Structures are given as structure tokens and as C-alpha cells.
Amino acid sequence: MAFLETMAKLIERYNSFFTEGIVNTLIIAAFSVLFGAILGTLMASLRMCRIPPLRWIAVAYIEFVRGTPLMVQLMFIFYGLPMIGITIPNISWIPNFSRFAAGIVAMSMNSCAYVAEIIRSGIQAVDGGQMEAARSVGFSSGEAMRLVVLPQAIRNILPALGNEFVTVIKESSIVSVIGIADLMFRTNDVIAVTYKNLECLAVAALCYFVLTFVSSRAVSLAERKLSHGK
């Protein structure tokens, strides 16, 4: 009981710290998944392209990103790129913009590789006759993919995309190492003030659980609505 009481007191006293961390975590996760989905769609298209050099580039990118730790990718973008003259400019009216941008870029590029494989598998799961039928009624390849194949593929890949969003929320804790005030960073701030390591970490774990649980339920609801809309 004493443990739970301490957690309750921490939440009550330092709720502004945890709230700021949650908001920043959601911002990073939302932008990372958004850009990851856009880039992943493009990468999936290149992955299935009939032009060998483009397909090889996509395969190399996907395999390299999936085969290296996110921590290394984040460090390379935030610390490595400035060493070769590539810097992310700060925006005066957005605090720590360069840090946020570096974190979002790293997580978007990482998510892109996984989303590309999710989209590729979803598209390939659609019956090939759908494309042929669309072409036979006068659709171009691009129109057939956009209007016929992709809507059906989305139903197949939505659960996996939802899982990717949940994964990004959890993995976003890694951006605390470059000074972004996400949930984990703010939790460490509270630990530094209170010296209540276990209780603070338990609060952070509870916050992450709530975020991922709500996200999972939202994805499940969207999946059911899509299924009923067939």
C-alpha cells in the first residue's frame, strides 16, 4: 500500500512533469508514424518496382535499417550528421526544435523500413485478379493501385500498422538520450528530485501502458468499422 500511495503522491505533485512528457511522447510518435507511413508507402512501391536498381536500393535500405539499432541511427543523425556539415536549424519559437526534428527523423526512417514491409505484404495479399479487372475496365496501373488495390490492402495491414504505432510509442523513450523532454526524460527529472526510482519508473510504466492500451483499442475499433463497411 505504501508503494501505491507514493505513486499517487508523485502523480499528484509532479503531474505537470508527466503530462509534458506524455504530450511530447505522443507528438513524436504521431509524426514518426505519419512520416513513416508516407515514406514506407514510397519504399514499398520501390520494393515492388520492376526496375532492378530501384528495387535493390529499397531492399538495401530496408535490410540496413531493420538490421541496425535505433539508438545508433538516432546518434548518427543527431551527432554524426553535424560532423559532416549537415545540421538541423533551430526555430526560435519552437523550443529544442533541432532535437525534436532529429528524434522524429530517426524514428520516421526506422518506422519507414517496417511499414514498407507491412504495406508490401498487404498489397501482395490482395488477389492479383483485382488489378487485372481494374486494368480491363480502363484504369491505369497507378489508378488501379490507388483506387482498387490499396483500399483492400489497408484492411489487411491496419492491425499491423496499429502495432507499429504502439511500438513507436514505446520506442520513443530512446529519444530522451538526446535531451528531448519525453515521458522517460521527465521521469528521470522526477527521480533526480525525489530519489524514488522504483515508484517513478512504475508511474512511467503505467503511463506507457495507458497510451498503448488506448491506441490498441482505437485501432481495433477502426478495424471493426472497416470490416463492417465492406
Side-chain angles (χ1 to χ4, degrees), residues 61-74 110 114:
Y61 175 85
I62 292 170
E63 294 300 326
F64 178 80
V65 171
R66 293 176 69 186
T68 55
L70 176 56
M71 173 73 82
V72 174
Q73 298 164 17
L74 177 62
N110 183 272
Y114 291 92

Side-chain angles (χ1 to χ4, degrees), residues 25 29 70 107 162-175 182-184 205 207-209 211-213 215-216:
T25 293
L70 176 56
M107 297 203 65
N163 290 336
E164 177 64 14
F165 181 61
V166 170
T167 299
V168 168
I169 290 177
K170 293 185 291 183
E171 288 185 345
S172 67
S173 62
I174 205 170
V175 302
D182 72 322
L183 178 55
M184 200 63 226
C207 292
Y208 278 115
F209 171 75
L211 292 176
T212 56
F213 180 81
S215 299
S216 298

Side-chain angles (χ1 to χ4, degrees), residues 10-81:
L10 288 171
I11 294 173
E12 181 181 0
R13 184 170 182 180
Y14 297 100
N15 64 84
S16 61
F17 284 72
F18 294 114
T19 300
E20 181 187 359
I22 290 171
V23 170
N24 288 336
T25 293
L26 288 176
I27 290 173
I28 292 170
F31 278 106
S32 297
V33 170
L34 173 62
F35 295 142
I38 295 172
L39 295 173
T41 302
L42 175 62
M43 197 60 62
S45 300
L46 295 179
R47 178 74 170 78
M48 297 182 293
C49 181
R50 295 181 179 180
I51 303 174
L54 296 179
R55 187 169 65 250
W56 297 337
I57 291 173
V59 170
Y61 175 85
I62 292 170
E63 294 300 326
F64 178 80
V65 171
R66 293 176 69 186
T68 55
L70 176 56
M71 173 73 82
V72 174
Q73 298 164 17
L74 177 62
M75 292 296 185
F76 178 81
I77 290 172
F78 186 70
Y79 293 111
L81 292 183

Side-chain angles (χ1 to χ4, degrees), residues 37-228:
I38 295 172
L39 295 173
T41 302
L42 175 62
M43 197 60 62
S45 300
L46 295 179
R47 178 74 170 78
M48 297 182 293
C49 181
R50 295 181 179 180
I51 303 174
L54 296 179
R55 187 169 65 250
W56 297 337
I57 291 173
V59 170
Y61 175 85
I62 292 170
E63 294 300 326
F64 178 80
V65 171
R66 293 176 69 186
T68 55
L70 176 56
M71 173 73 82
V72 174
Q73 298 164 17
L74 177 62
M75 292 296 185
F76 178 81
I77 290 172
F78 186 70
Y79 293 111
L81 292 183
M83 294 181 181
I84 58 176
I86 302 175
T87 59
I88 299 175
N90 267 312
I91 297 178
S92 58
W93 48 275
I94 301 180
N96 294 318
F97 175 78
S98 62
R99 295 178 186 272
F100 268 93
I104 291 172
V105 167
M107 297 203 65
S108 297
M109 293 178 65
N110 183 272
S111 180
C112 165
Y114 291 92
V115 171
E117 287 299 279
I118 292 172
I119 293 176
R120 181 183 66 85
S121 62
I123 290 175
Q124 292 180 340
V126 176
D127 188 349
Q130 298 291 323
M131 174 66 79
E132 296 175 4
R135 294 299 305 277
S136 68
V137 296
F139 285 2
S140 66
S141 296
E143 290 173 336
M145 178 62 69
R146 187 176 70 255
L147 300 175
V148 178
V149 177
L150 277 180
Q152 297 180 63
I154 288 174
R155 295 193 182 98
N156 298 331
I157 66 179
L158 187 59
L161 286 178
N163 290 336
E164 177 64 14
F165 181 61
V166 170
T167 299
V168 168
I169 290 177
K170 293 185 291 183
E171 288 185 345
S172 67
S173 62
I174 205 170
V175 302
S176 63
V177 301
I178 62 172
I180 297 178
D182 72 322
L183 178 55
M184 200 63 226
F185 187 90
R186 283 310 186 197
T187 299
N188 288 329
D189 286 344
V190 178
I191 290 174
V193 173
T194 63
Y195 300 102
K196 301 290 186 180
N197 294 53
L198 190 58
E199 292 87 345
C200 289
L201 292 174
V203 172
L206 179 62
C207 292
Y208 278 115
F209 171 75
V210 171
L211 292 176
T212 56
F213 180 81
V214 171
S215 299
S216 298
R217 297 287 75 78
V219 171
S220 298
L221 179 61
E223 183 183 357
R224 285 197 296 272
K225 285 188 175 182
L226 279 176
S227 299
H228 293 158

